[in-house]
Amino acid sequence: MGVWRVLWLMCALAACGKADPMQGLEPGEHGRVVRVIDGDALVLDTGQSVRLIGIEAPARPYKDREGQPYHEEAKRLLEDMVLGREVQLHYAGLTRDRYDRALAHVRTTDALGPTLWLNAEMIRRGGARVRVYPDTALANAPLLELEEGAREAREGLWKMRAYRIPPADKLPDEFSGFQIVSGHVTGMEGAESAYSVCDLILVGSPLRLSLSKSAASLCQEAQGHQIRARGYVREGRMEISHPLDLELLGPVPD
């Protein structure tokens, strides 16, 4: 990431005259954070649970499921930033999930420390990866640049082998769940899923990128490009549900 781009992002997050990345979002509730569940979820003193949108922190243990690498550190990182502080929620579309959690960008509002956009800080400090959902995608674009900076600096989880981005032609034996992958798009197939409009073929890889209607323009645009893709992987397919999920890194030289 270039020096000027980093400075621009720092200014934007510090509100130093640049446009607020959250401008246009719907202002939501205020509350004090009384509990941090993990690196992307917390609870307010009103009793409202909140899921930080645009990010995916390592999952904690749940029932028979083991916790993912770095889950304890990610939770502690969020706790250190926000536990006991007053915050305001900002909505980017859908406001509740099926568990009645608020789906929000969250910003601190008190004088107990610096003003922090928590979703962005978790990305910048390497406590989470960017994960985009179509119904809450507003204000997610700056997070990708912050993730790139954290990855290049090997901040937080990016120090760990478990979170290295594999090339599509050298995938590990176990490659499922939310993942990020790099590769070269060499062609397109008709979609097998009713929820997709096309499948993109990656050089030397069995993995297919299944693009939903909201990302349909990339069916043509991505061909011949080096890409970085993110999404949920199941049965050999990665679900690409928003254009931000598929970064075009440049055409492959002939």
Side-chain angles (χ1 to χ4, degrees):
M1 184 186 297
V3 172
W4 289 111
R5 183 177 293 178
V6 172
L7 290 174
W8 183 91
L9 282 168
M10 290 175 64
C11 286
L13 293 177
C16 67
K18 299 290 185 179
D20 186 340
M22 288 193 284
Q23 185 176 1
L25 301 188
E26 178 186 351
E29 304 95 308
H30 289 82
R32 182 170 59 86
V33 177
V34 295
R35 181 186 172 202
V36 169
I37 298 172
D38 55 27
D40 53 31
L42 51 82
V43 181
L44 303 181
D45 58 354
T46 61
Q48 179 63 57
S49 295
V50 182
R51 172 66 162 84
L52 277 63
I53 58 175
I55 74 174
E56 179 83 1
R60 62 193 173 98
Y62 182 72
K63 295 182 178 179
D64 295 332
R65 182 190 71 192
E66 294 184 359
Q68 292 180 316
Y70 208 75
H71 72 90
E72 292 180 351
E73 293 90 337
K75 177 183 178 181
R76 189 160 54 247
L77 181 61
L78 187 57
E79 283 179 334
D80 290 346
M81 284 193 287
V82 79
L83 192 60
R85 295 195 63 182
E86 298 288 333
V87 300
Q88 181 176 13
L89 309 187
H90 297 264
Y91 293 117
L94 186 67
T95 62
R96 295 290 187 274
D97 65 11
R98 58 179 176 168
Y99 306 109
D100 197 39
R101 295 182 300 182
L103 303 173
H105 290 282
V106 183
R107 179 174 276 168
T108 58
T109 60
D110 57 26
L112 297 178
T115 299
L116 298 174
W117 173 15
L118 296 176
N119 312 56
E121 284 299 311
M122 286 300 293
I123 295 296
R124 187 178 70 83
R125 302 184 190 201
R129 297 173 290 173
V130 176
R131 185 171 184 179
V132 182
Y133 290 93
D135 46 13
T136 56
L138 294 179
N140 281 189
L143 302 182
L144 288 171
E145 298 190 69
L146 292 174
E147 182 191 88
E148 182 180 354
R151 189 167 57 245
E152 290 178 353
R154 299 188 68 185
E155 296 284 353
L157 58 77
W158 298 110
K159 299 174 184 176
M160 306 187 72
R161 181 179 296 273
Y163 295 104
R164 292 179 186 173
I165 299 177
D169 59 351
K170 296 180 181 178
L171 296 180
D173 293 337
E174 175 59 33
F175 196 70
S176 60
F178 178 71
Q179 300 285 354
I180 306 176
V181 67
S182 64
H184 168 199
V185 177
T186 189
M188 179 181 67
E189 296 177 341
E192 293 187 6
S193 167
Y195 302 102
S196 302
V197 294
C198 74
D199 286 351
L200 295 181
I201 303 168
L202 301 173
V203 171
S205 178
L207 183 69
R208 295 292 185 263
L209 306 182
S210 292
L211 276 60
S212 69
K213 185 176 180 179
S214 62
S217 64
L218 292 168
C219 289
Q220 297 293 337
E221 293 176 23
Q223 294 191 53
H225 278 257
Q226 285 293 138
I227 57 89
R228 183 164 50 240
R230 66 190 67 229
Y232 198 88
V233 178
R234 55 165 62 89
E235 298 180 352
R237 280 179 164 72
M238 175 179 280
E239 300 166 0
I240 304 297
S241 59
H242 190 275
L244 292 177
D245 287 331
L246 187 59
E247 299 173 77
L248 304 185
L249 306 179
V252 177
D254 294 332

